[in-house]
Amino acid sequence: MFSQAQMIRILSLMFFFALPFSGLSGCSTWVSGSFQDPDVRLIKVDVVRAKLLEQQFVLRFRIDNPNGVSLPVRGLVYTVHLNDVKLASGESSTWFTVPAHGSQTFEVPVRTNLWRHMKYIVKLLEKPDEAIRYRLDGEVKTGLMFGKSVHLSRDGEIIPGSYIPE
């Protein structure tokens, strides 16, 4: 006959092996091929602090989930370029869930040191009416255990003169 310790060990092993499969019901769309990549957009960049040796920004993103199941998000890996010069890169490990057919905004703090690029940036700012190209590359990590990475690439231009007060 089983002792109480053996029964607890058997139950805990059953629980341990059943746990990974309990969260996979929403992942069936990934396996079956009906999963649609969420739309991830950079909606705003806020300057938090700009000192000589360190600049702090907040990148604000919006993620839209076109799927019929909620989408767990585990974070974002990103790189920001200005005219092909890498300004910042990093990783955000903020966890949140985007509801089915819903959207969620999230913020990513960015710290950088533009001092080593100061000569180049000053040269760019000498012509405030000329556009400066930017590019944001990233990867949004989704899912719980068997997640899917959604690649993100956005680029555009900014005109420095439009940000300088007169």
Side-chain angles (χ1 to χ4, degrees):
M1 191 173 238
F2 287 108
S3 68
Q4 186 176 6
Q6 288 175 324
M7 185 60 91
I8 290 174
R9 190 175 321 138
I10 290 171
L11 288 174
S12 62
L13 282 173
M14 287 175 48
F15 176 74
F16 177 74
F17 286 116
L19 183 64
F21 298 106
S22 65
L24 293 180
S25 61
C27 297
S28 64
T29 57
W30 295 338
V31 176
S32 68
S34 63
F35 176 79
Q36 296 177 2
D37 284 346
D39 181 35
V40 182
R41 289 178 276 156
L42 177 65
I43 56 175
K44 191 173 184 184
V45 177
D46 288 327
V47 177
V48 176
R49 187 179 316 167
K51 291 187 175 183
L52 185 61
L53 295 178
E54 181 185 63
Q55 298 76 40
Q56 296 176 11
F57 303 93
V58 173
L59 303 178
R60 296 185 197 283
F61 292 91
R62 176 184 166 125
I63 184 166
D64 295 317
N65 180 10
N67 298 293
V69 294
S70 61
L71 178 70
V73 175
R74 296 180 287 130
L76 168 73
V77 177
Y78 63 88
T79 304
V80 180
H81 291 87
L82 190 64
N83 271 4
D84 297 325
V85 172
K86 183 171 141 181
L87 293 183
S89 64
E91 183 172 351
S92 168
S93 58
T94 303
W95 284 60
F96 59 91
T97 301
V98 183
H101 301 292
S103 63
Q104 179 83 26
T105 58
F106 65 101
E107 299 177 351
V108 177
V110 175
R111 293 178 188 260
T112 187
N113 182 349
L114 299 177
W115 181 252
R116 64 183 177 269
H117 303 296
M118 192 58 70
K119 189 183 235 183
Y120 178 69
I121 292 172
V122 168
K123 186 177 177 181
L124 289 175
L125 295 177
E126 286 175 353
K127 301 173 187 171
D129 295 329
E130 282 190 23
I132 300 173
R133 292 183 333 272
Y134 71 88
R135 187 177 79 241
L136 169 71
D137 295 313
E139 186 174 274
V140 177
K141 296 180 269 182
T142 65
L144 293 175
M145 292 185 64
F146 303 106
K148 179 177 175 127
S149 293
V150 178
H151 296 281
L152 156 72
S153 183
R154 299 288 185 262
D155 57 4
E157 294 181 339
I158 57 171
I159 307 216
S162 60
Y163 295 99
I164 300 172
E166 294 186 33

PDB file of all heavy atoms in Angstrom, residues 27-46:
ATOM      1  N   CYS A  27      -2.300  28.466 -27.423  1.00  0.00           N
ATOM      2  CA  CYS A  27      -1.214  28.305 -28.385  1.00  0.00           C
ATOM      3  C   CYS A  27      -1.621  27.459 -29.582  1.00  0.00           C
ATOM      4  O   CYS A  27      -0.873  27.326 -30.531  1.00  0.00           O
ATOM      5  CB  CYS A  27       0.004  27.666 -27.717  1.00  0.00           C
ATOM      6  SG  CYS A  27       0.712  28.683 -26.414  1.00  0.00           S
ATOM      7  N   SER A  28      -2.805  26.872 -29.536  1.00  0.00           N
ATOM      8  CA  SER A  28      -3.209  26.017 -30.642  1.00  0.00           C
ATOM      9  C   SER A  28      -3.326  26.801 -31.937  1.00  0.00           C
ATOM     10  O   SER A  28      -3.129  26.259 -33.010  1.00  0.00           O
ATOM     11  CB  SER A  28      -4.534  25.323 -30.326  1.00  0.00           C
ATOM     12  OG  SER A  28      -5.561  26.293 -30.196  1.00  0.00           O
ATOM     13  N   THR A  29      -3.603  28.094 -31.844  1.00  0.00           N
ATOM     14  CA  THR A  29      -3.665  28.901 -33.069  1.00  0.00           C
ATOM     15  C   THR A  29      -2.281  29.050 -33.680  1.00  0.00           C
ATOM     16  O   THR A  29      -2.150  29.179 -34.885  1.00  0.00           O
ATOM     17  CB  THR A  29      -4.259  30.291 -32.780  1.00  0.00           C
ATOM     18  OG1 THR A  29      -3.487  30.926 -31.776  1.00  0.00           O
ATOM     19  CG2 THR A  29      -5.701  30.195 -32.367  1.00  0.00           C
ATOM     20  N   TRP A  30      -1.234  29.048 -32.854  1.00  0.00           N
ATOM     21  CA  TRP A  30       0.118  29.142 -33.386  1.00  0.00           C
ATOM     22  C   TRP A  30       0.494  27.867 -34.126  1.00  0.00           C
ATOM     23  O   TRP A  30       1.132  27.898 -35.157  1.00  0.00           O
ATOM     24  CB  TRP A  30       1.130  29.382 -32.276  1.00  0.00           C
ATOM     25  CG  TRP A  30       0.953  30.693 -31.598  1.00  0.00           C
ATOM     26  CD1 TRP A  30       0.323  31.803 -32.084  1.00  0.00           C
ATOM     27  CD2 TRP A  30       1.402  31.041 -30.299  1.00  0.00           C
ATOM     28  NE1 TRP A  30       0.362  32.807 -31.165  1.00  0.00           N
ATOM     29  CE2 TRP A  30       1.015  32.364 -30.063  1.00  0.00           C
ATOM     30  CE3 TRP A  30       2.089  30.369 -29.316  1.00  0.00           C
ATOM     31  CZ2 TRP A  30       1.298  33.030 -28.898  1.00  0.00           C
ATOM     32  CZ3 TRP A  30       2.375  31.039 -28.150  1.00  0.00           C
ATOM     33  CH2 TRP A  30       1.982  32.349 -27.949  1.00  0.00           C
ATOM     34  N   VAL A  31       0.100  26.733 -33.565  1.00  0.00           N
ATOM     35  CA  VAL A  31       0.448  25.453 -34.163  1.00  0.00           C
ATOM     36  C   VAL A  31      -0.381  25.199 -35.425  1.00  0.00           C
ATOM     37  O   VAL A  31       0.115  24.706 -36.425  1.00  0.00           O
ATOM     38  CB  VAL A  31       0.250  24.313 -33.133  1.00  0.00           C
ATOM     39  CG1 VAL A  31       0.502  22.970 -33.769  1.00  0.00           C
ATOM     40  CG2 VAL A  31       1.155  24.524 -31.925  1.00  0.00           C
ATOM     41  N   SER A  32      -1.660  25.564 -35.395  1.00  0.00           N
ATOM     42  CA  SER A  32      -2.532  25.268 -36.524  1.00  0.00           C
ATOM     43  C   SER A  32      -2.313  26.210 -37.706  1.00  0.00           C
ATOM     44  O   SER A  32      -2.814  25.958 -38.785  1.00  0.00           O
ATOM     45  CB  SER A  32      -3.996  25.350 -36.080  1.00  0.00           C
ATOM     46  OG  SER A  32      -4.332  26.689 -35.766  1.00  0.00           O
ATOM     47  N   GLY A  33      -1.591  27.284 -37.510  1.00  0.00           N
ATOM     48  CA  GLY A  33      -1.306  28.191 -38.621  1.00  0.00           C
ATOM     49  C   GLY A  33      -2.298  29.329 -38.750  1.00  0.00           C
ATOM     50  O   GLY A  33      -2.166  30.164 -39.622  1.00  0.00           O
ATOM     51  N   SER A  34      -3.311  29.404 -37.877  1.00  0.00           N
ATOM     52  CA  SER A  34      -4.277  30.495 -37.983  1.00  0.00           C
ATOM     53  C   SER A  34      -3.842  31.709 -37.170  1.00  0.00           C
ATOM     54  O   SER A  34      -4.563  32.691 -37.102  1.00  0.00           O
ATOM     55  CB  SER A  34      -5.667  30.023 -37.544  1.00  0.00           C
ATOM     56  OG  SER A  34      -5.630  29.646 -36.187  1.00  0.00           O
ATOM     57  N   PHE A  35      -2.675  31.658 -36.558  1.00  0.00           N
ATOM     58  CA  PHE A  35      -2.156  32.781 -35.782  1.00  0.00           C
ATOM     59  C   PHE A  35      -1.769  33.917 -36.716  1.00  0.00           C
ATOM     60  O   PHE A  35      -1.065  33.713 -37.706  1.00  0.00           O
ATOM     61  CB  PHE A  35      -0.938  32.347 -34.958  1.00  0.00           C
ATOM     62  CG  PHE A  35      -0.294  33.478 -34.204  1.00  0.00           C
ATOM     63  CD1 PHE A  35      -0.848  33.925 -33.020  1.00  0.00           C
ATOM     64  CD2 PHE A  35       0.848  34.089 -34.676  1.00  0.00           C
ATOM     65  CE1 PHE A  35      -0.264  34.959 -32.312  1.00  0.00           C
ATOM     66  CE2 PHE A  35       1.443  35.123 -33.975  1.00  0.00           C
ATOM     67  CZ  PHE A  35       0.885  35.555 -32.790  1.00  0.00           C
ATOM     68  N   GLN A  36      -2.245  35.124 -36.420  1.00  0.00           N
ATOM     69  CA  GLN A  36      -1.866  36.308 -37.177  1.00  0.00           C
ATOM     70  C   GLN A  36      -0.938  37.145 -36.312  1.00  0.00           C
ATOM     71  O   GLN A  36      -1.211  37.367 -35.131  1.00  0.00           O
ATOM     72  CB  GLN A  36      -3.098  37.127 -37.549  1.00  0.00           C
ATOM     73  CG  GLN A  36      -4.048  36.425 -38.478  1.00  0.00           C
ATOM     74  CD  GLN A  36      -5.279  37.293 -38.740  1.00  0.00           C
ATOM     75  OE1 GLN A  36      -5.401  38.406 -38.275  1.00  0.00           O
ATOM     76  NE2 GLN A  36      -6.205  36.755 -39.505  1.00  0.00           N
ATOM     77  N   ASP A  37       0.161  37.617 -36.914  1.00  0.00           N
ATOM     78  CA  ASP A  37       1.089  38.455 -36.172  1.00  0.00           C
ATOM     79  C   ASP A  37       0.393  39.723 -35.700  1.00  0.00           C
ATOM     80  O   ASP A  37      -0.367  40.336 -36.456  1.00  0.00           O
ATOM     81  CB  ASP A  37       2.281  38.851 -37.043  1.00  0.00           C
ATOM     82  CG  ASP A  37       3.275  37.716 -37.222  1.00  0.00           C
ATOM     83  OD1 ASP A  37       3.189  36.731 -36.468  1.00  0.00           O
ATOM     84  OD2 ASP A  37       4.137  37.825 -38.102  1.00  0.00           O
ATOM     85  N   PRO A  38       0.653  40.117 -34.472  1.00  0.00           N
ATOM     86  CA  PRO A  38       0.084  41.379 -34.002  1.00  0.00           C
ATOM     87  C   PRO A  38       0.760  42.556 -34.706  1.00  0.00           C
ATOM     88  O   PRO A  38       1.883  42.439 -35.205  1.00  0.00           O
ATOM     89  CB  PRO A  38       0.404  41.377 -32.505  1.00  0.00           C
ATOM     90  CG  PRO A  38       1.551  40.462 -32.357  1.00  0.00           C
ATOM     91  CD  PRO A  38       1.433  39.450 -33.447  1.00  0.00           C
ATOM     92  N   ASP A  39       0.078  43.681 -34.753  1.00  0.00           N
ATOM     93  CA  ASP A  39       0.624  44.895 -35.344  1.00  0.00           C
ATOM     94  C   ASP A  39       1.244  45.707 -34.213  1.00  0.00           C
ATOM     95  O   ASP A  39       0.564  46.061 -33.253  1.00  0.00           O
ATOM     96  CB  ASP A  39      -0.492  45.689 -36.037  1.00  0.00           C
ATOM     97  CG  ASP A  39       0.026  46.947 -36.685  1.00  0.00           C
ATOM     98  OD1 ASP A  39       1.164  46.933 -37.195  1.00  0.00           O
ATOM     99  OD2 ASP A  39      -0.698  47.963 -36.684  1.00  0.00           O
ATOM    100  N   VAL A  40       2.538  45.975 -34.320  1.00  0.00           N
ATOM    101  CA  VAL A  40       3.251  46.730 -33.296  1.00  0.00           C
ATOM    102  C   VAL A  40       3.691  48.052 -33.912  1.00  0.00           C
ATOM    103  O   VAL A  40       4.346  48.076 -34.950  1.00  0.00           O
ATOM    104  CB  VAL A  40       4.488  45.950 -32.785  1.00  0.00           C
ATOM    105  CG1 VAL A  40       5.187  46.721 -31.688  1.00  0.00           C
ATOM    106  CG2 VAL A  40       4.093  44.565 -32.312  1.00  0.00           C
ATOM    107  N   ARG A  41       3.301  49.161 -33.271  1.00  0.00           N
ATOM    108  CA  ARG A  41       3.628  50.485 -33.804  1.00  0.00           C
ATOM    109  C   ARG A  41       4.253  51.361 -32.727  1.00  0.00           C
ATOM    110  O   ARG A  41       3.811  51.348 -31.581  1.00  0.00           O
ATOM    111  CB  ARG A  41       2.376  51.178 -34.320  1.00  0.00           C
ATOM    112  CG  ARG A  41       1.854  50.559 -35.596  1.00  0.00           C
ATOM    113  CD  ARG A  41       0.603  51.229 -36.047  1.00  0.00           C
ATOM    114  NE  ARG A  41      -0.487  50.593 -35.292  1.00  0.00           N
ATOM    115  CZ  ARG A  41      -1.648  51.160 -35.042  1.00  0.00           C
ATOM    116  NH1 ARG A  41      -1.905  52.345 -35.477  1.00  0.00           N
ATOM    117  NH2 ARG A  41      -2.576  50.518 -34.374  1.00  0.00           N
ATOM    118  N   LEU A  42       5.263  52.120 -33.130  1.00  0.00           N
ATOM    119  CA  LEU A  42       5.827  53.153 -32.269  1.00  0.00           C
ATOM    120  C   LEU A  42       4.910  54.359 -32.402  1.00  0.00           C
ATOM    121  O   LEU A  42       4.717  54.888 -33.496  1.00  0.00           O
ATOM    122  CB  LEU A  42       7.242  53.505 -32.721  1.00  0.00           C
ATOM    123  CG  LEU A  42       7.936  54.631 -31.967  1.00  0.00           C
ATOM    124  CD1 LEU A  42       8.183  54.237 -30.521  1.00  0.00           C
ATOM    125  CD2 LEU A  42       9.243  54.984 -32.652  1.00  0.00           C
ATOM    126  N   ILE A  43       4.311  54.788 -31.302  1.00  0.00           N
ATOM    127  CA  ILE A  43       3.347  55.881 -31.399  1.00  0.00           C
ATOM    128  C   ILE A  43       3.885  57.212 -30.879  1.00  0.00           C
ATOM    129  O   ILE A  43       3.392  58.264 -31.253  1.00  0.00           O
ATOM    130  CB  ILE A  43       2.011  55.535 -30.701  1.00  0.00           C
ATOM    131  CG1 ILE A  43       2.228  55.142 -29.254  1.00  0.00           C
ATOM    132  CG2 ILE A  43       1.287  54.451 -31.441  1.00  0.00           C
ATOM    133  CD1 ILE A  43       0.931  54.912 -28.476  1.00  0.00           C
ATOM    134  N   LYS A  44       4.919  57.165 -30.015  1.00  0.00           N
ATOM    135  CA  LYS A  44       5.424  58.418 -29.481  1.00  0.00           C
ATOM    136  C   LYS A  44       6.798  58.210 -28.855  1.00  0.00           C
ATOM    137  O   LYS A  44       7.098  57.138 -28.338  1.00  0.00           O
ATOM    138  CB  LYS A  44       4.451  58.949 -28.415  1.00  0.00           C
ATOM    139  CG  LYS A  44       4.719  60.351 -27.964  1.00  0.00           C
ATOM    140  CD  LYS A  44       3.614  60.835 -27.044  1.00  0.00           C
ATOM    141  CE  LYS A  44       3.859  62.280 -26.670  1.00  0.00           C
ATOM    142  NZ  LYS A  44       2.883  62.776 -25.718  1.00  0.00           N
ATOM    143  N   VAL A  45       7.621  59.245 -28.917  1.00  0.00           N
ATOM    144  CA  VAL A  45       8.917  59.256 -28.243  1.00  0.00           C
ATOM    145  C   VAL A  45       8.926  60.470 -27.334  1.00  0.00           C
ATOM    146  O   VAL A  45       8.710  61.597 -27.793  1.00  0.00           O
ATOM    147  CB  VAL A  45      10.087  59.333 -29.249  1.00  0.00           C
ATOM    148  CG1 VAL A  45      11.418  59.418 -28.506  1.00  0.00           C
ATOM    149  CG2 VAL A  45      10.067  58.160 -30.199  1.00  0.00           C
ATOM    150  N   ASP A  46       9.136  60.249 -26.047  1.00  0.00           N
ATOM    151  CA  ASP A  46       9.194  61.345 -25.087  1.00  0.00           C
ATOM    152  C   ASP A  46      10.607  61.476 -24.548  1.00  0.00           C
ATOM    153  O   ASP A  46      11.251  60.468 -24.215  1.00  0.00           O
ATOM    154  CB  ASP A  46       8.258  61.088 -23.899  1.00  0.00           C
ATOM    155  CG  ASP A  46       6.797  61.223 -24.267  1.00  0.00           C
ATOM    156  OD1 ASP A  46       6.486  62.049 -25.131  1.00  0.00           O
ATOM    157  OD2 ASP A  46       5.975  60.477 -23.689  1.00  0.00           O
TER     158      ASP A  46
END
